[in-house]
Amino acid sequence: MTAISPRLVFDLRPHETRGRKTTCTLAILVDGEAVWPVRGEETARLDIQIDDLLAHLTDYWKPLMLRQVYPIDVTPLRPSDLRRHAELRWTGLPSAVVELEEEAVSRFERAHDISHAFAGLYGLPAFWILRAGPVVIIETADRHWRLPFDDVRRALALIGDRICALLAAADLKRWEPAIDAWKDRNTGDAVGLLAWSTGLTKALAGQLIQEAILAAPRDFEDAAADADELRIAARMAGALPPDQIYAIIGLARQFPPRPSVTLRNLAATCLDHVARHYGHAAAFLQGEVAAQILRNNLGLATDKPVDVFDVATTLGIEIRHAAAEPPTLDGLAIWGQHHGPGVFLNEASGRILRPGDSTLTASPGARVTLAHELCHLLLDGDHAVSAVDVLKARMPVTAEQRAKSFAGEFLLPTATAGHHWGEAGHPVDRAGLTIVVEALMTSYGVTRSVAAWKIEHAAREREIDLSAVLDAVAPRR
């Protein structure tokens, strides 16, 4: 009795005691290996009442399939880190706020940790499921995976269907309401579906639909497809006040659809190479590799500054810039069926235009931000993308780490920074490093932070740690 998906398997088997038709044993496998309840031990199985698992999947189907954000204003790398991040946040908040947020965190844990399905069994290891765009984070006590969303959805649907068949065979009259509820799991009103898929409150979701700011999902399948760029923009900005969410959606919707064959082909090349050779690598390494691939494809010399504005325009990306609210917004990237590819740079942001910047195209902050957004279009654009780089954004941590690394490597390769550091005599003191950092800023049009990071990376390749000194050279980098 195994529910099969290419990478995720819920292995459900009859209990050895005859007559216990609704009691089975369960083990969960990923890529052919038992990972729950005991990793590496397929014979270590959990006795479960199968209706408990069905009830959990039915009750929490929409958050499991649609929700992609955490319930409070924190951005942990994995769902198991949520409570730790929350408790750090709560140390400085009023008790009334803490009480509300604690309940929100508890509700999230009950939905996304499958071990909560078996409430009568204590001390079970967690098995987390949380969607992140086209993939789903699966996490156990000692490991995590990023599996295709369609695979995970199929695995959960198969195990639910299998349990329904077992319950019907055991006692159809008794279990018919549970079976019908499972079959009806995709039913939902448009406002509720939009709220789940964006992480917005139902009140705000309803308002955005009523005012035609966002299109209402046609049905569950439309919401689950997650292919509407403006809904994604709303989700990314969802932790902001409503007026700022409105403003960001307004900026995103300004971009009409544009031909993008060259960008599409380059994106496919980058994604394919990263997936085949660096699929399990750290996000920063994926970003560096993608930047190197793009530089090679464009034939860019490593010893000359990159005109990233010209590169973006050549790839068919529309660039817009103006002073806009909120000022904490640096930029956004959008690309999908109805909008983009496009990038907006916010001239009201102190990171985009600083005193002394003669033009936007010469601004180091604007150049780095545009390169950052270019990474989102290349590596996140296989799915509809709206990347919103703003304080309190709900961008996935790994996507941001990858884009930050990409921007640095694209504008100033580590090898180039290392060469300049070597020509200066490999200084390790603050004064000597300041000279090298400022020379790189001038020669390559990058921010102080990027120049410092790239020297640090080059030094690490020589097993030299300059992090503390460079923190003094480039504070808050």
Side-chain angles (χ1 to χ4, degrees):
M1 303 177 189
T2 301
I4 300 175
S5 178
R7 299 190 61 186
L8 179 63
V9 172
F10 282 76
D11 187 17
L12 194 67
R13 298 182 184 177
H15 196 274
E16 60 185 13
T17 304
R18 293 179 60 85
R20 298 180 65 178
K21 296 182 178 180
T22 62
T23 302
C24 290
T25 66
L26 175 68
I28 303 176
L29 288 70
V30 175
D31 294 333
E33 178 189 12
V35 300
W36 191 91
V38 180
R39 183 180 174 190
E41 297 289 342
E42 192 171 341
T43 57
R45 310 175 63 81
L46 183 70
D47 290 357
I48 68 166
Q49 299 302 309
I50 58 175
D51 57 297
D52 287 343
L53 180 55
L54 181 68
H56 188 95
L57 295 177
T58 303
D59 291 344
Y60 296 115
W61 184 252
K62 292 181 179 68
L64 288 171
M65 295 295 98
L66 302 180
R67 177 156 57 189
Q68 301 188 42
V69 298
Y70 292 101
I72 63 173
D73 186 19
V74 293
T75 53
L77 187 61
R78 302 182 187 114
S80 65
D81 291 333
L82 171 59
R83 183 162 288 274
R84 179 172 58 85
H85 281 246
E87 289 172 349
L88 290 172
R89 167 181 164 82
W90 293 338
T91 58
L93 293 179
S95 59
V97 175
V98 172
E99 185 176 346
L100 290 173
E101 291 198 354
E102 205 283 333
E103 177 55 32
V105 169
S106 294
R107 288 196 301 268
F108 179 94
E109 292 171 334
R110 287 194 294 271
H112 293 275
D113 176 3
I114 297 298
S115 72
H116 282 273
F118 316 110
L121 301 175
Y122 298 99
L124 292 178
F127 187 87
W128 296 96
I129 298 177
L130 179 64
R131 185 173 179 182
V135 301
V136 175
I137 299 170
I138 301 292
E139 185 185 5
T140 59
D142 59 355
R143 191 173 172 188
H144 78 282
W145 300 260
R146 298 172 69 84
L147 304 184
F149 168 72
D150 289 340
D151 281 6
V152 174
R153 179 180 178 179
R154 188 181 307 117
L156 296 179
L158 284 170
I159 194 63
D161 290 345
R162 182 57 186 160
I163 291 172
C164 285
L166 291 171
L167 293 175
D171 188 339
L172 177 59
K173 184 177 180 180
R174 177 184 176 186
W175 296 112
E176 190 168 20
I179 294 170
D180 289 344
W182 168 251
K183 291 178 179 178
D184 201 38
R185 67 191 182 278
N186 289 340
T187 301
D189 64 280
V191 172
L193 293 173
L194 182 63
W196 279 122
S197 60
T198 58
L200 303 175
T201 64
K202 290 192 71 171
L204 182 54
Q207 186 176 326
L208 290 167
I209 291 174
Q210 184 177 8
E211 296 177 16
I213 303 298
L214 292 180
R218 295 185 302 274
D219 51 26
F220 180 87
E221 295 301 326
D222 182 30
D226 198 34
D228 186 298
E229 310 94 293
L230 297 184
R231 293 180 203 155
I232 298 173
R235 181 170 69 239
M236 295 300 104
L240 300 175
D243 62 319
Q244 295 183 7
I245 296 173
Y246 272 79
I248 287 172
I249 296 172
L251 293 172
R253 71 187 308 155
Q254 292 177 8
F255 290 91
R258 294 167 58 90
S260 53
V261 175
T262 303
L263 180 63
R264 184 72 67 187
N265 290 340
L266 276 173
T269 298
C270 289
L271 282 166
D272 179 68
H273 186 85
V274 169
R276 284 192 294 113
H277 301 288
Y278 298 90
H280 299 291
F284 80 88
L285 182 57
Q286 293 179 344
E288 285 193 349
V289 168
Q292 292 161 6
I293 293 170
L294 181 58
R295 290 184 66 98
N296 290 338
N297 272 272
L298 298 177
L300 300 176
T302 59
D303 60 344
K304 298 187 184 308
V306 175
D307 186 343
V308 66
F309 282 84
D310 181 66
V311 168
T313 302
T314 300
L315 294 178
I317 300 168
E318 180 182 2
I319 303 171
R320 295 187 176 214
H321 54 91
E325 292 293 327
T328 52
L329 171 71
D330 295 333
L332 65 82
I334 186 167
W335 190 14
Q337 184 177 355
H338 303 293
H339 301 276
V343 170
F344 177 81
L345 300 174
N346 186 13
E347 294 179 356
S349 167
R351 298 160 69 98
I352 299 299
L353 281 178
R354 297 181 178 180
D357 291 337
S358 56
T359 62
L360 186 76
T361 56
S363 161
R367 287 167 44 79
V368 171
T369 300
L370 179 55
H372 184 106
E373 305 302 342
L374 176 57
C375 179
H376 287 308
L377 295 176
L378 283 170
L379 296 186
D380 302 319
D382 60 328
H383 196 66
V385 61
S386 292
V388 180
D389 287 292
V390 64
L391 186 65
K392 295 189 176 183
R394 289 170 164 174
M395 289 294 298
V397 175
T398 53
E400 284 302 285
Q401 290 173 340
R402 192 167 57 190
K404 179 180 178 181
S405 176
F406 174 97
E409 185 70 10
F410 186 67
L411 296 176
L412 176 58
T414 296
T416 301
H419 174 75
H420 283 262
W421 179 52
E423 287 202 327
H426 296 110
V428 296
D429 63 293
R430 180 173 178 176
L433 286 170
T434 297
I435 292 172
V436 179
V437 165
E438 292 180 350
L440 291 172
M441 291 169 60
T442 301
S443 298
Y444 294 92
V446 296
T447 61
R448 181 176 293 270
S449 293
V450 167
W453 277 117
K454 300 312 288 186
I455 293 173
E456 180 178 338
H457 294 168
R460 282 180 178 170
E461 292 180 357
R462 297 171 62 90
E463 299 185 352
I464 299 174
D465 183 5
L466 298 177
S467 57
V469 183
L470 288 168
D471 283 345
V473 174
R476 301 181 300 278
R477 63 192 175 107

